[in-house]
Amino acid sequence: EDQDLLLAAAYVSDAQYNRNVPFETSPQAIRLYYFYNHWAMQAATYFFICVDLSLALFEEPALFPLPFLVTSIAEVLCLTAFFGRLVHFAKVTPQMVFWKDTKNICIMVTIVLTLVDLIVYGILEALNVYGIRWSRALRPVFLINFPESRQIRRAFRSIRNTLPDVLYVFLLFIFSVGTFSLMALKLFGDRGLKTVEGSPYFTNILDIAFELYVLVTTANSPDVMMPAYEFNWWYSLYFITYIIINTYIFMSVFLAVVYNNYRKHLKNEIRTLAYLKRRKMIEAFNILKVKVGTESVVKEAQWRRLVKVVAPDISSSHLELLLRILDEGQKGHVDKVNFLRLPDLLNIQVITINVKRHPLEAWMPRVYQSSASLLVQKVVRHRVFVWAYDVIILINAIFIALDEKNPFISYAEWLFLSLYIIEILLKLYTYEPRAYFGRKQFWNWFDTLIIIAALVATVANTTIQSARKYNSQQILDIVLILRILRLLRVIVSIQRFRVIVTTLINIGPTMLTFGGLVLVVYYVFAIIGMEAFHGRVHFFGPNSTSPDALTCGNSALRDSAFARGKYCRNNFNHLGSSLILLVELTVVNQWHILADGFALVTHQVAKLYFIGFHIVVVILIVNIFIAFILEAFFVAY
Amino acid sequence: EDQDLLLAAAYVSDAQYNRNVPFETSPQAIRLYYFYNHWAMQAATYFFICVDLSLALFEEPALFPLPFLVTSIAEVLCLTAFFGRLVHFAKVTPQMVFWKDTKNICIMVTIVLTLVDLIVYGILEALNVYGIRWSRALRPVFLINFPESRQIRRAFRSIRNTLPDVLYVFLLFIFSVGTFSLMALKLFGDRGLKTVEGSPYFTNILDIAFELYVLVTTANSPDVMMPAYEFNWWYSLYFITYIIINTYIFMSVFLAVVYNNYRKHLKNEIRTLAYLKRRKMIEAFNILKVKVGTESVVKEAQWRRLVKVVAPDISSSHLELLLRILDEGQKGHVDKVNFLRLPDLLNIQVITINVKRHPLEAWMPRVYQSSASLLVQKVVRHRVFVWAYDVIILINAIFIALDEKNPFISYAEWLFLSLYIIEILLKLYTYEPRAYFGRKQFWNWFDTLIIIAALVATVANTTIQSARKYNSQQILDIVLILRILRLLRVIVSIQRFRVIVTTLINIGPTMLTFGGLVLVVYYVFAIIGMEAFHGRVHFFGPNSTSPDALTCGNSALRDSAFARGKYCRNNFNHLGSSLILLVELTVVNQWHILADGFALVTHQVAKLYFIGFHIVVVILIVNIFIAFILEAFFVAY
Ligand code: NA
């Protein structure tokens, strides 16, 4: 009996959280499955994934160097944890299912490959031979393939499904770029034109194709056109045609194709999820059902026990509410149709609002209801009160912009803070405090936290300035940012701003999935980039007077746009700077200068790395991001 | 009777072409209305609009200077034509309606303003006083406000309807940029950092706000970050946060809001159009209806006369087909429901396919049906034939890329052309020529025209090369481009490419509307730009050795990025270069260098012109363009 309840509860739980893991139904397997889904086990898995990924910070080329022995022991530890998790999963799921699931195979293969790589690299290291830790690029496999990362996997699936359609557009696009390159070679190749830097203009078909690919990203506009345009205005038409076709039309078509597939795919996924959820609930129902007359139902007592297993923290009033919804006729049982609605109802957050009197009113009714007190409450509730404080915030902004060394202004700081605190107190006086700080009162929390942060920041600032000894730059900077963030209070008081920000906050969780996706791609590219380019470009510090500082320590960069732009810190010398560099490449602007720089210090083939990054990140992932924001806004706005 | 038919036909015609002009129903007014809608009158109107707009090419600052007297006479002529068109319209439409329509008021006001401006400028010119021809910026009013430009007006309405929603997002965006500017001032202002050019870094709040606005467009990434990043890697987080919030999220939200409004608006427009069309058809029906039994119908004879007035060129088989559709029961009359379907049916293109025998088969059946001939036909129909020619085209591309001065290669050119012509002849031998070159056989036409163009180009090239005297650069360039365009034949033979290109071609007509919209905005900005910046920046020719050439003839540009990038030809010295410059600004990259340059030669306020252009063109119009491509692709793909 208890065993049945646990099994049914597991099905309901899976339905509620959209988990989709087939598990064995033996009592032991069910208990193991509960343990598998325990938050502590999941947290531990994520912890080891984080440790494994962050090892790149400590391995050569390292931001914080650690000996190979230490990082390899940490890695083996992580691998053991992953293996343990997998063994646990194998005990839960039927063997047939386990071995058919590519996710599990992926994890096992990656563990083996990583061990092989570790051993080979260790031996080479001992023999003082140069080796490549290639298995590091496989680490994101763990992040993707554990069942917990359903969302990231879905995003990757979405990209994979887009590929065939994107491929044809991409081929046509490449064909177009190729045709234009040939045209450019014939039109400009023999004219003896020079670029701004004095090198020959459009004489080599490969260089032309690269330049024209860069023009699609707009990064070398209008420079790439200027020599031809100076020679004859007529040639500007060539470039304008190129930009209209390849930059505007093709890039929009990429967005359209990605977006179209994303929508189609999303619809299918939602349909499948709904189907699986229903099937699990039917299984749970079949376990618990009893016959009443001709109808199969779940008895009220059994249903209560089930819900208490599924949601141990549920309040009794919430439980009664659910029962009242699912057993409308109060027949003492829940029928099949209503039983299937349970997971959706459990996912709805219920807010218990108790309209209570203000504590002050209960405590001293006379004073709180006096005409003076009522006037105060009326003023606070009036919209002019809000506007007055908006004006105060704007004046505050001006004061922040002014020089803070002026003592008058630093006194004003305290004045503003007092005004804000008075505002909060007045609001707490007028509104019932427990309602004001209710669970869903996001904006009240936001407002109050900003003021508290500003208060803490100002106090910290004064303390630090009077102490004078302790002067950590980062603490000071954080304090400064906190003080300025108080301007965000303006958002709270303008209804339309709140709508926009609420929409953005609501898509936050999915945005995190997106962050995971980007992290995976960035990590792989960063590892490859570090293996290929580390140590080629050096940054000598901001005040270095070394002559090598002007060429980033590499004479191949002499007279290059890379060195002229002082881009030396944009290098692959450790994970941190690699990731920042990849962000810059995602923003696209000047990416060709960066690509050129790394091609100069290695080989022209290096440009393929940068083109590949552009295709994967900008054409695929950024477009999925835009598709995703568009879709979220259409639903929400 | 005849009068009624004309009136009904006018209603049907209006319904067919979605015209929406209320007109008087007196016999004279109807005849005037027919005349008003005559293609020659419309063509004349567009001709005068083109003349009026292109006057800017001949007025100071002129590409082809003409005396003020000539351009002003031409302008007065255009104004007279517009006024005549307006008077014509006033005679057609009821007076009340005419005076209530803002379009007509707009045109009249613009005519008066232009005349005033012409007179004032003429007097000032005579007195040798500097004057501004400000009314030139109003010229696009004529393009927008004549009833023929329904589509462009709709696009403008779409933008106007988007504005309120965009405005709030924009305000929040400006607020965000402002807050970040303040933060940047406090974080970096006192550090004594220097930019790559050696000027102080982030010390003035207005400069910071401009730099951060530029960062939203990505045009100064990563340069704007480098000094802070070099000082402390920690500061890169500030810029990354800024880019995620303002470049990625806000710019996507702009697209989402514009797109969302566009869709909503489009739906409404389509609904209104359908309603108006229906109402006009009901009016036409009411004029022509007769009672048959209890039912109101239009008699077949009357209906035939009506269609012949509406579509004089209709073939009798097409007319019979329409009648068979609308009078299914062959009762000799068309009822109301079917009558309303007429304009939609008229808009459907009917292709008459006559499956005919090949003329050669009729002429010499023995030879055409001989086994050798049948083999040829089978080969031509086989897909390997298509593939073989794709390979030939690719080999041809390689030959084009190689040096054409080699005589072997220039002979090969003739070989390829012969192969293509043989291909066309073989196809004409195999397929029935009239079917092959049918009206809707776009790809066959495309293929054949490309080959003919290549043939003409190669012949022209040989002639010119042998003549050696006549050597017009532009003719040679066009010949070259035509020769390379033959590579486009590859598209024809790959099905998926054809689908993509067909989709793009189908959205072509709406794209033209979009071109009109862009033209209007560009024209206004070009006129303002010429008035504000002409003569400030000079281009000295590509081979000039004048020392002024390095500063574009303006010492204010000494050591500026504008002069260093050799951007002298990017100026507002005439309409042509202004429009090219505006295209460069639309592409966005390096726009801040251009803005800085023109601010240096005038005043920092000039940057507002460039920011305004970015907001109007990139944030609004380009997003509408993307929205429009997305929508078109979702419908078509
Ligand atoms: Na750019």
Side-chain angles (χ1 to χ4, degrees):
Chain A
E1 170 87 2
D2 250 20
Q3 218 52 59
D4 282 354
L5 197 68
L6 270 181
L7 179 57
Y11 283 131
V12 175
S13 225
D14 282 4
Q16 189 188 348
Y17 297 115
N18 285 322
R19 276 196 297 258
N20 189 25
V21 175
F23 56 91
E24 301 243 43
T25 52
S26 72
Q28 203 206 349
I30 295 174
R31 231 164 303 128
L32 271 172
Y33 185 56
Y34 268 90
F35 188 44
Y36 185 81
N37 285 328
H38 195 277
W39 68 265
M41 291 300 280
Q42 302 207 4
T45 309
Y46 276 112
F47 170 76
F48 281 110
I49 290 173
C50 285
V51 169
D52 193 41
L53 289 177
S54 55
L55 280 178
L57 288 170
F58 308 100
E59 296 162 333
E60 278 309 319
L63 184 57
F64 314 107
L66 282 179
F68 173 66
L69 197 67
V70 176
T71 60
S72 58
I73 288 173
E75 182 145 30
V76 170
L77 220 70
C78 290
L79 294 180
T80 314
F82 299 147
F83 189 69
R85 181 81 177 154
L86 206 62
V87 169
H88 190 163
F89 187 64
K91 297 226 163 179
V92 165
T93 205
Q95 249 190 315
M96 279 294 291
V97 177
F98 180 84
W99 290 105
K100 267 190 188 161
D101 192 340
T102 36
K103 293 196 287 290
N104 305 325
I105 310 296
C106 266
I107 292 176
M108 276 185 287
V109 169
T110 310
I111 289 176
V112 171
L113 286 177
T114 308
L115 284 174
V116 168
D117 182 35
L118 268 177
I119 292 165
V120 169
Y121 186 81
I123 293 170
L124 289 177
E125 176 106 321
L127 299 173
N128 258 326
V129 178
Y130 178 76
I132 290 180
R133 277 298 316 279
W134 48 268
S135 74
R136 307 197 301 160
L138 299 177
R139 280 178 190 156
V141 167
F142 299 118
L143 177 58
I144 301 169
N145 281 307
F146 275 113
E148 289 71 34
S149 313
R150 238 161 277 121
Q151 306 280 350
I152 297 179
R153 262 199 315 280
R154 203 171 293 154
F156 267 105
R157 242 187 342 256
S158 177
I159 291 179
R160 205 181 51 204
N161 290 354
T162 312
L163 285 184
D165 272 354
V166 167
L167 183 70
Y168 278 97
V169 180
F170 190 76
L171 287 178
L172 188 57
F173 161 71
I174 290 293
F175 174 73
S176 163
V177 173
T179 309
F180 271 99
S181 302
L182 198 53
M183 234 180 256
L185 180 70
K186 292 280 141 187
L187 282 177
F188 310 124
D190 299 334
R191 301 245 181 280
L193 299 180
K194 296 259 176 264
T195 65
V196 177
E197 274 126 41
S199 45
Y201 178 74
F202 274 13
T203 50
N204 172 304
I205 186 89
L206 282 179
D207 287 347
I208 293 174
F210 180 70
E211 289 287 338
L212 289 184
Y213 186 86
V214 174
L215 183 55
V216 168
T217 70
T218 79
N220 58 0
S221 159
D223 308 80
V224 72
M225 168 176 114
M226 289 318 291
Y229 180 35
E230 290 200 337
F231 184 71
N232 191 340
W233 73 268
W234 160 261
Y235 290 134
S236 65
L237 296 184
Y238 166 88
F239 290 96
I240 290 173
T241 312
Y242 181 87
I243 286 172
I244 290 175
I245 293 178
N246 292 293
T247 306
Y248 285 105
I249 296 181
F250 267 108
M251 291 299 125
S252 305
V253 170
F254 276 124
L255 175 60
V257 171
V258 168
Y259 185 24
N260 206 14
N261 271 282
Y262 175 82
R263 286 212 293 195
K264 244 192 314 191
H265 188 63
L266 201 72
K267 243 183 256 168
N268 285 342
E269 289 265 349
I270 288 171
R271 214 174 291 138
T272 314
L273 274 184
Y275 168 76
L276 289 173
K277 182 182 271 189
R278 197 184 146 79
R279 232 182 43 183
K280 274 176 225 135
M281 287 310 291
I282 289 174
E283 294 220 46
F285 182 78
N286 287 339
I287 293 167
L288 301 178
K289 72 182 172 189
V290 290
K291 277 264 181 211
V292 169
T294 57
E295 208 185 8
S296 291
V297 297
V298 175
K299 283 286 192 188
E300 190 185 307
Q302 188 75 327
W303 184 88
R304 280 174 192 277
R305 256 174 275 147
L306 174 74
V307 174
K308 275 186 184 149
V309 176
V310 174
D313 302 331
I314 199 166
S315 72
S316 61
S317 62
H318 190 177
L319 187 72
E320 292 310 318
L321 178 70
L322 290 181
L323 188 62
R324 189 116 31 107
I325 295 169
L326 298 184
D327 179 19
E328 275 178 309
Q330 301 200 311
K331 295 180 216 141
H333 53 71
V334 176
D335 63 11
K336 188 170 172 181
V337 174
N338 277 313
F339 186 81
L340 299 188
R341 291 163 64 198
L342 180 60
D344 293 328
L345 285 179
L346 282 173
N347 277 336
I348 295 172
Q349 285 209 318
V350 176
I351 309 157
T352 339
I353 298 174
N354 304 316
V355 181
K356 287 179 188 156
R357 282 198 309 172
H358 197 287
L360 288 176
E361 197 177 353
W363 189 43
M364 38 181 195
R366 280 270 181 80
V367 180
Y368 196 73
Q369 295 289 356
S370 69
S371 59
S373 162
L374 286 178
L375 182 68
V376 168
Q377 291 171 41
K378 204 178 156 192
V379 167
V380 172
R381 281 178 212 273
H382 202 277
R383 51 163 88 168
V384 170
F385 183 77
V386 176
W387 291 345
Y389 266 94
D390 283 349
V391 172
I392 290 173
I393 292 168
L394 290 179
I395 296 172
N396 194 177
I398 296 166
F399 271 76
I400 292 176
L402 298 174
D403 188 6
E404 63 186 293
K405 268 142 205 159
N406 185 326
F408 169 68
I409 285 174
S410 79
Y411 287 132
E413 183 71 19
W414 289 105
L415 174 68
F416 284 116
L417 270 178
S418 326
L419 284 173
Y420 296 143
I421 290 163
I422 288 169
E423 184 196 0
I424 294 274
L425 293 178
L426 280 174
K427 279 190 178 161
L428 286 180
Y429 181 79
T430 308
Y431 305 106
E432 209 281 316
R434 276 159 297 181
Y436 188 76
F437 285 122
R439 245 169 124 194
K440 287 258 126 183
Q441 298 299 314
F442 171 78
W443 290 107
N444 296 340
W445 281 102
F446 180 82
D447 212 15
T448 314
L449 286 178
I450 281 178
I451 291 170
I452 291 172
L455 185 66
V456 169
T458 308
V459 171
N461 197 30
T462 316
T463 322
I464 292 167
Q465 279 191 347
S466 59
R468 290 260 172 205
K469 277 173 284 185
Y470 182 72
N471 235 332
S472 158
Q473 189 56 51
Q474 288 174 18
I475 300 277
L476 276 173
D477 289 342
I478 291 173
V479 162
L480 194 72
I481 289 169
L482 286 182
R483 281 175 58 209
I484 292 171
L485 279 186
R486 85 181 66 160
L487 302 185
L488 295 185
R489 298 193 63 208
V490 169
I491 297 174
V492 183
S493 57
I494 298 175
Q495 171 63 19
R496 298 287 290 257
F497 283 7
R498 259 157 61 180
V499 172
I500 299 167
V501 174
T502 306
T503 309
L504 289 175
I505 288 172
N506 285 341
I507 58 182
T510 331
M511 215 87 116
L512 278 185
T513 301
F514 198 80
L517 180 77
V518 170
L519 179 71
V520 167
V521 178
Y522 270 33
Y523 195 85
V524 173
F525 271 98
I527 295 287
I528 298 172
M530 286 195 286
E531 294 294 357
F533 305 117
H534 77 90
R536 305 294 182 134
V537 169
H538 285 286
F539 174 59
F540 284 74
N543 303 314
S544 164
T545 52
S546 153
D548 286 349
L550 291 176
T551 57
C552 309
N554 194 320
S555 57
L557 288 174
R558 197 174 304 285
D559 295 326
S560 68
F562 188 94
R564 242 182 294 127
K566 291 204 176 170
Y567 284 175
C568 306
R569 199 163 195 177
N570 295 323
N571 58 42
F572 285 98
N573 293 353
H574 55 73
L575 188 65
S577 65
S578 305
L579 291 178
I580 292 173
L581 177 50
L582 293 181
V583 172
E584 292 172 13
L585 292 178
T586 307
V587 176
V588 171
N589 201 55
Q590 304 288 58
W591 74 278
H592 59 304
I593 308 254
L594 296 165
D596 263 333
F598 285 99
L600 283 175
V601 297
T602 52
H603 187 272
Q604 290 298 316
V605 171
K607 283 177 180 169
L608 290 179
Y609 170 87
F610 294 88
I611 293 176
F613 185 83
H614 181 261
I615 293 170
V616 172
V617 173
V618 180
I619 295 187
L620 284 178
I621 294 189
V622 169
N623 276 339
I624 290 229
F625 174 77
I626 293 174
F628 155 72
I629 294 238
L630 286 180
E631 200 58 26
F633 247 73
F634 293 162
V635 172
Y637 204 62
Chain B
E1 170 86 4
D2 249 21
Q3 218 53 58
D4 281 354
L5 196 69
L6 270 181
L7 179 57
Y11 284 130
V12 174
S13 222
D14 283 3
Q16 189 188 349
Y17 297 114
N18 285 322
R19 276 198 296 258
N20 189 24
V21 175
F23 56 90
E24 301 243 43
T25 52
S26 72
Q28 202 207 349
I30 295 173
R31 232 165 301 127
L32 272 171
Y33 185 57
Y34 269 90
F35 188 45
Y36 185 82
N37 284 330
H38 195 277
W39 69 265
M41 292 300 280
Q42 301 205 5
T45 310
Y46 276 111
F47 171 75
F48 281 110
I49 290 173
C50 286
V51 170
D52 192 40
L53 288 177
S54 57
L55 280 178
L57 287 170
F58 309 100
E59 296 161 334
E60 279 308 319
L63 184 57
F64 313 108
L66 281 180
F68 173 68
L69 197 66
V70 176
T71 60
S72 58
I73 287 173
E75 181 144 30
V76 170
L77 221 69
C78 290
L79 293 180
T80 314
F82 299 147
F83 189 68
R85 181 82 175 154
L86 206 62
V87 169
H88 190 163
F89 186 64
K91 296 223 166 183
V92 165
T93 203
Q95 249 190 317
M96 280 294 292
V97 177
F98 181 82
W99 291 104
K100 267 189 189 160
D101 192 339
T102 36
K103 292 196 287 291
N104 305 325
I105 309 295
C106 266
I107 293 176
M108 276 186 286
V109 169
T110 310
I111 289 176
V112 171
L113 286 177
T114 308
L115 285 174
V116 169
D117 182 34
L118 268 177
I119 292 165
V120 170
Y121 186 81
I123 293 170
L124 289 175
E125 174 105 322
L127 299 173
N128 257 325
V129 178
Y130 178 75
I132 291 179
R133 278 298 316 279
W134 48 267
S135 74
R136 306 197 300 162
L138 300 176
R139 279 176 191 156
V141 167
F142 299 119
L143 177 58
I144 302 170
N145 281 306
F146 275 112
E148 290 70 35
S149 314
R150 237 162 278 120
Q151 307 280 351
I152 297 179
R153 262 197 317 279
R154 202 172 293 153
F156 267 106
R157 245 190 336 261
S158 177
I159 292 180
R160 205 181 52 203
N161 290 355
T162 313
L163 284 184
D165 273 354
V166 167
L167 185 71
Y168 278 96
V169 180
F170 190 76
L171 287 177
L172 188 58
F173 162 70
I174 290 293
F175 173 73
S176 162
V177 172
T179 309
F180 271 99
S181 303
L182 199 53
M183 234 181 254
L185 180 70
K186 292 280 140 185
L187 283 177
F188 312 122
D190 298 334
R191 302 247 181 278
L193 299 179
K194 296 259 176 265
T195 64
V196 175
E197 274 126 42
S199 46
Y201 178 73
F202 273 15
T203 51
N204 173 303
I205 184 90
L206 282 179
D207 287 348
I208 294 173
F210 180 69
E211 289 288 338
L212 289 184
Y213 186 86
V214 174
L215 183 54
V216 168
T217 70
T218 78
N220 58 359
S221 159
D223 307 81
V224 71
M225 169 177 112
M226 290 317 291
Y229 179 36
E230 290 202 335
F231 184 71
N232 191 340
W233 74 268
W234 161 260
Y235 290 134
S236 65
L237 295 184
Y238 165 89
F239 290 96
I240 291 173
T241 313
Y242 181 87
I243 286 171
I244 290 174
I245 292 178
N246 292 294
T247 306
Y248 285 104
I249 295 182
F250 266 108
M251 290 299 125
S252 305
V253 170
F254 276 123
L255 175 60
V257 171
V258 167
Y259 185 24
N260 206 12
N261 270 282
Y262 175 83
R263 286 212 295 194
K264 243 192 316 192
H265 189 63
L266 201 72
K267 244 183 255 166
N268 284 340
E269 290 265 349
I270 289 170
R271 213 175 290 138
T272 314
L273 274 185
Y275 168 76
L276 289 174
K277 182 181 269 186
R278 196 183 146 80
R279 232 182 44 182
K280 273 176 228 135
M281 288 309 292
I282 290 175
E283 293 218 46
F285 183 78
N286 287 339
I287 293 167
L288 301 177
K289 72 182 172 190
V290 290
K291 277 267 179 211
V292 170
T294 56
E295 208 185 7
S296 290
V297 298
V298 175
K299 284 286 192 188
E300 191 185 306
Q302 186 75 325
W303 184 89
R304 280 176 193 277
R305 255 173 278 147
L306 174 75
V307 173
K308 277 190 183 145
V309 176
V310 174
D313 302 331
I314 198 164
S315 71
S316 62
S317 61
H318 190 176
L319 186 72
E320 292 311 316
L321 178 70
L322 290 180
L323 188 62
R324 189 114 34 104
I325 293 170
L326 297 184
D327 179 17
E328 274 178 310
Q330 302 199 313
K331 295 179 215 143
H333 54 71
V334 175
D335 63 11
K336 188 170 171 181
V337 172
N338 278 313
F339 186 81
L340 299 189
R341 292 163 64 197
L342 180 58
D344 293 328
L345 285 179
L346 281 174
N347 278 335
I348 295 172
Q349 285 208 319
V350 176
I351 310 157
T352 340
I353 298 173
N354 304 315
V355 181
K356 288 178 186 155
R357 283 198 307 174
H358 198 287
L360 288 175
E361 196 176 353
W363 189 42
M364 37 180 193
R366 280 270 181 79
V367 179
Y368 196 71
Q369 295 288 358
S370 69
S371 59
S373 163
L374 285 178
L375 182 68
V376 168
Q377 291 171 39
K378 202 179 159 191
V379 167
V380 173
R381 281 177 214 276
H382 203 277
R383 50 165 87 168
V384 170
F385 183 76
V386 176
W387 292 344
Y389 266 95
D390 284 348
V391 171
I392 290 173
I393 292 169
L394 290 178
I395 296 172
N396 192 179
I398 296 166
F399 271 76
I400 292 176
L402 298 174
D403 189 6
E404 63 186 294
K405 268 142 206 157
N406 185 325
F408 168 67
I409 285 175
S410 80
Y411 288 133
E413 182 70 18
W414 290 105
L415 173 69
F416 284 116
L417 269 179
S418 327
L419 283 173
Y420 297 143
I421 289 164
I422 289 168
E423 184 195 359
I424 294 275
L425 292 177
L426 280 174
K427 281 191 178 161
L428 285 181
Y429 181 79
T430 309
Y431 305 106
E432 207 281 318
R434 276 158 299 180
Y436 188 76
F437 286 122
R439 243 170 124 196
K440 286 260 127 181
Q441 299 298 316
F442 172 77
W443 290 107
N444 296 341
W445 280 102
F446 180 83
D447 212 15
T448 313
L449 285 178
I450 281 178
I451 291 170
I452 292 172
L455 184 66
V456 169
T458 308
V459 171
N461 197 29
T462 317
T463 323
I464 292 169
Q465 280 189 346
S466 59
R468 288 264 172 201
K469 278 173 284 184
Y470 182 70
N471 235 330
S472 160
Q473 190 55 52
Q474 288 174 15
I475 301 277
L476 275 174
D477 289 342
I478 291 174
V479 162
L480 194 71
I481 290 169
L482 286 180
R483 282 175 57 211
I484 291 171
L485 280 186
R486 86 182 65 162
L487 300 185
L488 296 186
R489 297 194 63 208
V490 170
I491 297 174
V492 183
S493 57
I494 298 175
Q495 171 64 19
R496 297 286 292 255
F497 284 5
R498 260 157 59 179
V499 172
I500 300 168
V501 174
T502 307
T503 310
L504 289 176
I505 287 171
N506 285 341
I507 58 182
T510 332
M511 216 87 115
L512 277 185
T513 301
F514 198 81
L517 179 77
V518 169
L519 178 71
V520 168
V521 177
Y522 270 33
Y523 194 85
V524 174
F525 271 99
I527 295 287
I528 297 173
M530 286 196 284
E531 294 293 358
F533 305 116
H534 76 90
R536 305 294 183 131
V537 168
H538 285 286
F539 174 60
F540 285 75
N543 303 315
S544 164
T545 52
S546 154
D548 286 350
L550 290 175
T551 57
C552 309
N554 194 319
S555 58
L557 287 175
R558 197 174 304 285
D559 294 327
S560 68
F562 188 94
R564 240 182 295 129
K566 291 205 177 168
Y567 283 175
C568 307
R569 199 164 194 177
N570 296 322
N571 57 42
F572 286 98
N573 292 354
H574 55 72
L575 188 65
S577 64
S578 305
L579 291 178
I580 292 172
L581 178 49
L582 293 181
V583 172
E584 291 172 12
L585 292 177
T586 307
V587 176
V588 171
N589 202 53
Q590 304 288 57
W591 74 278
H592 59 303
I593 308 251
L594 296 165
D596 262 334
F598 285 99
L600 282 176
V601 297
T602 52
H603 186 271
Q604 290 298 317
V605 170
K607 284 177 179 168
L608 289 179
Y609 171 87
F610 294 88
I611 293 176
F613 185 82
H614 181 260
I615 292 170
V616 172
V617 173
V618 180
I619 294 186
L620 285 178
I621 294 187
V622 169
N623 275 339
I624 290 229
F625 174 77
I626 294 174
F628 155 72
I629 295 238
L630 286 180
E631 200 60 25
F633 247 73
F634 293 161
V635 172
Y637 205 61

